[in-house]
Amino acid sequence: MTQTSDAAAAVRRPDESRSARPWRGRGTPVHRAWFVAAVTFVTIIGAAAFRSLPGLLIDPLHQEYGWSRGTIGAAVSINLALYGLTAPFAAALMDRFGIRKVVAVALTVIALGSGLTVWMTAAWQLLLCWGLLVGLGSGSMALAFAATVTNRWFTERRGLVTGILTAASASGQLIFLPVLSWTVETYDWRPAAVTVALAALAVVPFVWLLLRDHPADVGLKPYGAPEFVPKPAPVTGAARRTLAVLASAARTGPFWLLAGTFAICGASTNGLIQTHFVPAAHDHGMPITTAASLLAVIGVFDVVGTIASGWFTDRFEPRRLLAVYYALRGISLLFLPMLLGPSIHPPMIFFIVFYGLDWVATVPPTLALCREQYGADSAIVFGWVLASHQVGAALVAYLGGVSRDVFGSYDMVWYASGTLCAAAALMALIIRRHPPTPATVQPAWTGDPSGTARLDRRLG
């Protein structure tokens, strides 16, 4: 009877002596967490196709349909806003239904929205397909996905893994931007939209067959964990939990500082450069393919900068890193109007390299601060911080188009964004330095809103 019980216990509880360390020598396998991170990386690369297209659509849609740049920018704005606002709910849905199901459905919705744009004939259809459908799908593929994978599978090297997964989006941009820009210029924007749809669908089998929700699913500890971590039960009430976490975090000062700095980050990257750099360069006589290639080069150095930022985050004070990143970004934007021209020259190359290194280098230290301040709920809190990032991006995506329509150039937007980056650098420095005590770290959602409210008062 004892032997039977011991055997059953062994089945229920995997071997805790199994190493949670990476490969260190012959006969020692690489931890499964690195394979999960690799699948996540490939997934985000495949989904990055839809992030590469909006800036390439502004001029073709304006020429074909006569829609103003403000109208087209509104569709991109809705897309970017939903990309952020969906993220915290997606993080909670991953706790409820699992990562694989949520991501597979999200990729399918992206493919549907992008594919339907081929048949649109009115501006409201652009708002529906590219704004609503692609925005909702992409929100579930946001950085909250990377944060959830990192939190579940890694105890050590979280900053490095966050940097690698964040860089995946830039890698996808590097792959797809030249292809899509060539397709738009050589054929039409419709084949480019179909390419995006097919790229999203192609990733679904990888997600379904290779991704795993939790280390316990394969009988492993998280990478670097001292002991086995059982898989938590599915969490019900995803929407209620997401809103409760927001209500709790909103009572703390660090949340608003993180949200404010990340809103400026989104305004100065996705909303500004990714959406308006190509048409702005084209205004100065630069061919669309050349401008898109420069944007792709930003993606090359973004990979280097983001991974390096993850490495730095594991070793240096994240608040100071954020301040340096935002200050340098603001300075570079102030010089951009003087650098744009019909051809590529050394100062422009310097800007592209410099801006690429700083593009989303802010993500690893921001996520580290969320983890430090909000514990078990950090993925959802980061989802809300990411929502502010995308709201900032959405505002500038729209206002940048309006500014171009009104003033005839983008100069005003470059200068305003540079000034905002300087403000973000100051905000990063005043985030509180001391980590919360164990009593103030929020536990995973238990379904008890009154208990959460009590913790809210402690966090305040």
Side-chain angles (χ1 to χ4, degrees):
M1 182 68 178
T2 302
Q3 292 179 346
T4 304
S5 300
D6 291 342
V11 172
R12 290 192 303 268
R13 188 179 183 84
D15 181 11
E16 294 191 11
S17 66
R18 191 177 302 185
S19 173
R21 301 283 181 176
W23 184 87
R24 293 184 183 275
R26 185 176 299 175
T28 303
V30 177
H31 193 280
R32 179 67 176 269
W34 293 105
F35 291 101
V36 172
V39 173
T40 304
F41 186 89
V42 172
T43 302
I44 296 175
I45 284 179
F50 63 83
R51 303 294 308 282
S52 305
L53 193 57
L56 305 177
L57 292 180
I58 293 178
D59 284 338
L61 293 178
H62 173 71
Q63 293 170 7
E64 180 171 340
Y65 296 106
W67 300 336
S68 70
R69 290 177 175 82
T71 298
I72 301 169
V76 179
S77 179
I78 293 171
N79 179 297
L80 292 171
L82 288 177
Y83 176 89
L85 294 173
T86 304
F89 294 95
L93 287 173
M94 288 176 189
D95 287 341
R96 174 66 179 88
F97 298 105
I99 298 174
R100 287 195 303 170
K101 293 179 180 178
V102 173
V103 173
V105 171
L107 288 167
T108 304
V109 172
I110 290 170
L112 179 65
S114 182
L116 288 176
T117 58
V118 173
W119 292 284
M120 68 182 179
T121 56
W124 68 266
Q125 295 167 347
L126 177 66
L127 300 177
L128 175 65
C129 295
W130 199 261
L132 181 63
L133 291 179
V134 176
L136 289 174
S138 62
S140 300
M141 289 295 303
L143 292 174
F145 169 40
T148 301
V149 170
T150 304
N151 287 349
R152 291 186 182 185
W153 281 89
F154 291 86
T155 299
E156 295 181 353
R157 304 290 188 268
R158 281 177 168 175
L160 176 62
V161 175
T162 300
I164 292 172
L165 296 182
T166 303
S169 180
S171 301
Q173 175 177 296
L174 166 66
I175 293 169
F176 287 106
L177 254 178
V179 175
L180 294 176
S181 63
W182 176 83
T183 302
V184 169
E185 196 164 49
T186 305
Y187 298 102
D188 189 20
W189 62 268
R190 290 175 177 83
V194 172
T195 301
V196 170
L198 294 178
L201 286 177
V203 179
V204 175
F206 289 94
V207 171
W208 195 256
L209 296 176
L210 301 177
L211 195 62
R212 292 295 179 267
D213 291 331
H214 196 278
D217 290 340
V218 290
L220 290 175
K221 311 169 189 176
Y223 175 83
E227 59 184 15
F228 180 79
V229 178
K231 182 178 180 178
V235 181
T236 58
R240 183 175 57 174
R241 178 192 177 195
T242 302
L243 294 173
V245 170
L246 172 63
S248 173
R251 293 185 175 93
T252 67
F255 173 79
W256 292 107
L257 291 171
L258 289 168
T261 56
F262 224 40
I264 294 172
C265 178
S268 56
T269 53
N270 300 106
L272 182 62
I273 297 294
Q274 190 167 47
T275 304
H276 294 294
F277 177 81
V278 172
H282 189 55
D283 283 347
H284 287 76
M286 184 178 292
I288 291 178
T289 303
T290 303
S293 297
L294 288 176
L295 202 56
V297 173
I298 287 179
V300 176
F301 289 94
D302 180 23
V303 174
V304 178
T306 307
I307 294 175
S309 178
W311 188 86
F312 290 143
T313 302
D314 287 331
R315 290 162 176 78
F316 300 103
E317 170 60 49
R319 296 158 187 80
R320 293 181 180 178
L321 290 176
L322 284 179
V324 171
Y325 295 157
Y326 284 122
L328 293 177
R329 183 184 299 178
I331 293 172
S332 67
L333 285 173
L334 293 176
F335 281 97
L336 182 57
M338 295 178 283
L339 303 179
L340 290 170
S343 61
I344 300 175
H345 46 83
M348 173 57 76
I349 294 175
F350 179 80
F351 170 84
I352 293 297
V353 172
F354 185 87
Y355 208 83
L357 291 172
D358 193 51
W359 181 267
V360 286
T362 56
V363 173
T366 300
L367 181 53
L369 289 172
C370 286
R371 192 179 295 119
E372 172 188 297
Q373 299 287 339
Y374 303 105
D377 283 333
S378 61
I380 296 178
V381 173
F382 180 71
W384 283 113
V385 172
L386 178 62
S388 71
H389 180 282
Q390 295 308 116
V391 169
L395 286 173
V396 172
Y398 173 68
L399 294 176
V402 172
S403 177
R404 171 62 177 79
D405 290 334
V406 173
F407 299 107
S409 75
Y410 287 99
D411 289 357
M412 185 68 68
V413 186
W414 306 130
Y415 295 135
S417 296
T419 304
L420 286 174
C421 287
L426 295 175
M427 293 166 64
L429 289 175
I430 62 175
I431 298 173
R432 69 183 183 188
R433 293 176 179 272
H434 63 280
T437 62
T440 63
V441 174
Q442 294 186 32
W445 172 254
T446 61
D448 178 15
S450 61
T452 301
R454 289 193 294 272
L455 283 171
D456 293 344
R457 289 193 291 273
R458 297 179 191 173
L459 281 167

